[in-house]
């Protein structure tokens, strides 16, 4: 790869590397690749560049298109699961015995299900994350790491980064490569969905209801759409927050996501979907869709109490380096690898606490090289691997999907010394694909 040769050359010329990195940061600031700082998270006076790679990372065209092509099916799948209380109850039955957070979310789901839904418009924004698993013949296959159905973020930065990466490639003399970094318009896709939800909401003729409330002299919390940027982690909630979540769930607002869609993104649901025959339940007459989705699934195993879970325990203790142990958590930094799997499982394997986790085959991505630009990090060549996130946006009105789109991609790259990832947890940085 030309970018690899360029990086090797830059390592022999630290002055040039520094100049290029400075230019990249400057250009990033000018083009909206910005983030608040850790020290002043609430300040709009001080920002820094969002961490990113000096060069875009080469991604094979076929897998890139495969990831984009399957996204609308994942949108449909998530949406179908969200409306299937029988499936969610069964899938999460053991998890809620061991995981209080999931239990509380399911409690809200049950309550609104029981009371009847107030809003028939539903908006979804999700991000399906993948890594490329290296096979022995050195080809690689696209494997889903997880799907995020709440608070999927980062798209603003991902939209702005291609301009920066093309600029850096041109400065480095890699003109041809600069034409292989695609534009990204995630924000526009998500806004289209928001506009659609708003338009449908306007047709519902419910404003009179608000006026009625106002006349009574009280106040009304009127929101057309509730877009969650938080709410995916237990530490986002206090008692009052749980009350607010229920209030919002019961409200007339379009929720992005509603509680069922939030639950559809749990790691336990992902593991259950990987069982033979389960996808067919959601796509009974569409074997090609089933095949397309299933092709992206890595091996996943239950840790529920019972013989199947016992087998998972034995298998992971025998070869801990081949698996990842995942609790029902989001945001990076929660998974266990290698000897940590042994440590955790030795502690919980005998009782229902183990059902708070699922086990997954560990993906072995190809090692790439890049310079990670992050405040405080030295300028150095790192061995890295990347994760492709594909954003999907959709709107359902009653039983009908009225908008179902792929809304672009986000690449996140990390040094291979880390098992787990995450931009906010300080491990991964933003990246763009260089399609070849
Ligand atoms: P979270 O909700 O915390 O983001 P993920 O399932 O995305 O949980 O896992 C976090 C990170 O852990 C991923 O970004 C990836 O770097 C690593 N990871 C997760 N699953 C696997 C896997 N099966 N193989 C290799 N790495 C994984
Ligand atoms: Mg993740």
């Amino acid at each position: 790869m030309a970018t690899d040769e360029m990086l090797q050359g830059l390592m022999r010329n630290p002055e040039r590397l520094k100049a290029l990195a400075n230019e990249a940061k400057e250009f990033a600031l000018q083009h909206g690749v910005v983030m608040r700082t850790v020290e002043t998270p609430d300040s709009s006076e001080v920002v820094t560049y969002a961490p990113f790679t000096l060069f875009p990372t080469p991604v094979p065209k076929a897998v890139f298109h495969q990831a984009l092509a399957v996204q609308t099916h994942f949108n449909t799948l998530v949406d179908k699961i969200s409306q299937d209380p029988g499936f969610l109850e069964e899938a999460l039955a053991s998890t809620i015995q061991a995981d209080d957070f999931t239990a509380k979310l399911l409690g809200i789901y049950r309550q609104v299900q029981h009371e009847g839904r107030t809003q028939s418009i539903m908006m979804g924004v999700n991000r399906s994350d993948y890594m490329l698993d290296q096979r022995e013949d050195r080809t690689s296959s696209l494997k889903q790491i997880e799907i995020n159905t709440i608070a999927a973020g980062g798209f603003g930065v991902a939209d702005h980064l291609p301009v920066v990466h093309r600029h850096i490639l041109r400065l480095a003399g890699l003109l041809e490569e600069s034409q292989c970094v695609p534009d990204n318009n995630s924000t526009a896709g998500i806004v289209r969905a928001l506009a659609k939800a708003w338009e449908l909401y306007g047709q519902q003729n419910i404003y009179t209801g608000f006026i009625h409330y106002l006349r009574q002299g009280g106040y009304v919390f009127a929101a057309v759409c509730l877009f969650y940027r938080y709410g995916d982690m237990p530490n986002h909630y206090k008692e009052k927050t749980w009350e607010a979540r229920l209030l919002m769930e019961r409200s007339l607002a379009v929720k992005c996501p509603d509680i069922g869609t939030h639950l559809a993104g749990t790691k336990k649901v992902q593991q259950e979907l990987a069982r033979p025959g389960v996808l067919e339940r959601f796509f009974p007459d569409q074997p090609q869709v089933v095949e397309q989705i299933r092709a992206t699934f890595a091996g996943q195993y239950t840790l529920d109490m019972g013989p199947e879970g016992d087998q998972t325990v034995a298998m992971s203790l025998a070869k801990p380096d081949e698996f990842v142990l995942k609790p029902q958590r989001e945001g990076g930094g929660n998974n266990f690898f290698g000897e940590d799997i042994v440590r955790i499982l030795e502690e919980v394997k005998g009782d229902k606490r183990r059902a708070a986790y699922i086990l997954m085959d560990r993906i072995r991505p190809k090692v790439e090289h890049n310079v990670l630009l992050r405040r405080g990090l030295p300028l150095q060549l790192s061995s890295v691997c990347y994760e492709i996130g594909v954003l999907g946006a959709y709107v359902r009105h009653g039983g009908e999907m009225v908008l179902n789109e792929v809304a672009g991609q986000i690449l996140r790259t990390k040094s291979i010394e880390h098992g787990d990832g995450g931009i906010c947890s300080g491990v991964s940085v933003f990246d763009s694909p260089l399609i070849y």
Side-chain angles (χ1 to χ4, degrees):
M1 279 291 155
T3 46
D4 249 348
E5 283 161 33
M6 176 56 61
L7 280 162
Q8 300 294 347
L10 286 171
M11 290 306 129
R12 294 189 294 270
N13 190 343
E15 283 308 310
R16 182 148 186 253
L17 171 64
K18 200 169 159 200
L20 209 54
N22 282 343
E23 176 64 17
K25 292 175 196 172
E26 181 64 29
F27 214 73
L29 287 173
Q30 284 171 19
H31 288 81
V33 180
V34 291
M35 207 167 80
R36 292 174 200 268
T37 64
V38 181
E39 298 81 8
T40 53
D42 301 321
S43 166
S44 298
E45 310 302 318
V46 184
V47 289
T48 180
Y49 58 92
F52 65 106
T53 54
L54 181 59
F55 286 106
T57 297
V59 175
K61 192 186 278 175
V63 280
F64 181 65
H65 287 296
Q66 186 191 350
L68 295 182
V70 72
Q71 185 56 38
T72 54
H73 300 320
F74 270 117
N75 293 346
T76 307
L77 176 62
V78 164
D79 188 52
K80 285 178 186 236
I81 297 168
S82 76
Q83 300 168 78
D84 193 332
F87 177 77
L88 281 174
E89 286 283 352
E90 204 180 314
L92 297 171
S94 301
T95 311
I96 58 170
Q97 304 276 318
D99 189 73
D100 190 45
F101 183 59
T102 310
K104 282 205 166 90
L105 294 174
L106 191 69
I108 292 180
Y109 182 75
R110 283 176 180 161
Q111 186 161 345
V112 291
Q113 199 69 29
H114 176 71
E115 292 170 356
R117 299 198 160 265
T118 49
Q119 180 51 269
S120 62
I121 306 164
M122 157 62 202
M123 175 180 167
V125 169
N126 65 54
R127 196 190 69 223
S128 183
D129 292 334
Y130 307 89
M131 279 179 164
L132 300 194
D133 198 23
Q134 281 282 101
R135 291 189 285 226
E136 275 170 19
D137 62 3
R138 297 181 71 82
T139 60
S140 45
S141 70
L142 188 76
K143 290 295 169 205
Q144 187 182 53
I145 295 295
E146 64 156 347
I147 187 156
N148 303 276
T149 59
I150 179 168
F155 41 85
V157 169
D159 282 359
H160 294 134
L161 201 52
V163 175
V164 180
H165 275 144
R166 279 182 218 130
H167 176 65
I168 294 305
L169 287 170
R170 279 194 298 266
L171 276 184
L174 301 172
L175 294 185
E176 212 176 298
E177 283 74 9
S178 75
Q179 286 160 15
C180 302
V181 180
D183 269 334
N184 198 42
N185 290 308
S186 301
T187 311
I190 291 163
V191 169
R192 265 196 301 281
L194 205 51
K196 188 77 197 169
W198 177 77
E199 181 194 320
L200 293 168
Y201 189 96
Q203 290 165 6
Q204 287 179 324
N205 212 10
I206 54 176
Y207 293 104
T208 48
F210 288 153
I211 293 162
H212 174 67
Y213 272 114
L214 287 170
R215 280 221 189 100
Q216 283 180 339
Y219 63 91
V220 59
F221 172 56
V224 174
C225 185
L226 295 164
F227 188 97
Y228 287 84
R229 260 319 271 122
Y230 293 93
D232 53 329
M233 300 185 197
N235 65 3
H236 296 164
Y237 292 81
K238 294 188 211 121
E239 206 181 313
K240 282 273 174 222
T241 328
W242 282 112
E243 287 170 21
R245 181 80 199 256
L246 178 62
L247 180 76
M248 292 193 282
E249 211 50 45
R250 285 165 151 173
S251 79
L252 271 175
V254 177
K255 295 102 196 156
C256 182
D258 66 13
I259 192 83
T261 306
H262 183 172
L263 286 166
T266 49
K267 294 183 168 73
K268 181 62 188 176
V269 163
Q270 187 189 352
Q271 175 255 301
E272 286 296 315
L273 288 174
R275 281 185 193 280
V278 175
L279 283 177
E280 281 81 354
R281 169 183 180 142
F282 297 103
F283 299 99
D285 308 314
Q286 293 170 280
Q288 279 122 336
V289 172
V290 167
E291 198 180 320
Q292 223 176 319
I293 294 177
R294 190 169 283 145
T296 69
F297 285 173
Q300 289 166 75
Y301 315 91
T302 180
L303 278 159
D304 291 358
M305 296 307 284
E308 204 188 340
D310 291 345
Q311 209 181 332
T312 306
V313 171
M315 180 175 80
S316 48
L317 290 178
K319 291 181 173 172
D321 286 335
E322 293 185 11
F323 301 101
V324 183
L325 182 68
K326 297 186 168 189
Q328 309 303 310
R329 289 291 166 271
E330 303 290 335
N334 303 297
N335 297 334
F336 297 99
F337 298 82
E339 284 310 305
D340 287 331
I341 297 183
V342 178
R343 179 172 59 78
I344 298 292
L345 282 186
E346 286 298 351
E347 193 186 317
V348 303
K349 69 179 181 188
D351 59 77
K352 67 179 187 186
R353 284 179 296 163
R354 76 185 199 193
Y357 302 87
I358 61 128
L359 191 80
M360 185 172 182
D361 284 344
R362 184 167 185 173
I363 306 303
R364 298 288 176 183
K366 184 169 159 235
V367 177
E368 311 279 348
H369 297 95
N370 217 320
V371 175
L372 307 183
L373 301 176
R374 176 193 286 284
R375 222 173 123 222
L377 267 193
L379 270 187
Q380 63 189 23
L381 190 64
S382 300
S383 296
V384 300
C385 61
Y386 65 89
E387 197 169 331
I388 312 172
V390 180
L391 281 148
Y394 59 95
V395 177
R396 173 170 47 78
H397 192 196
E400 193 195 349
M401 273 286 207
V402 290
L403 182 147
N404 186 359
E405 289 189 13
V406 190
Q409 70 275 345
I410 299 184
L411 226 70
R412 288 166 304 152
T413 292
K414 66 174 186 190
S415 163
I416 54 166
E417 72 203 43
H418 299 284
D420 212 305
I423 302 243
C424 297
S425 54
V427 173
S428 307
V429 308
F430 289 99
D431 196 350
S432 312
L434 190 164
I435 308 300
Y436 71 99

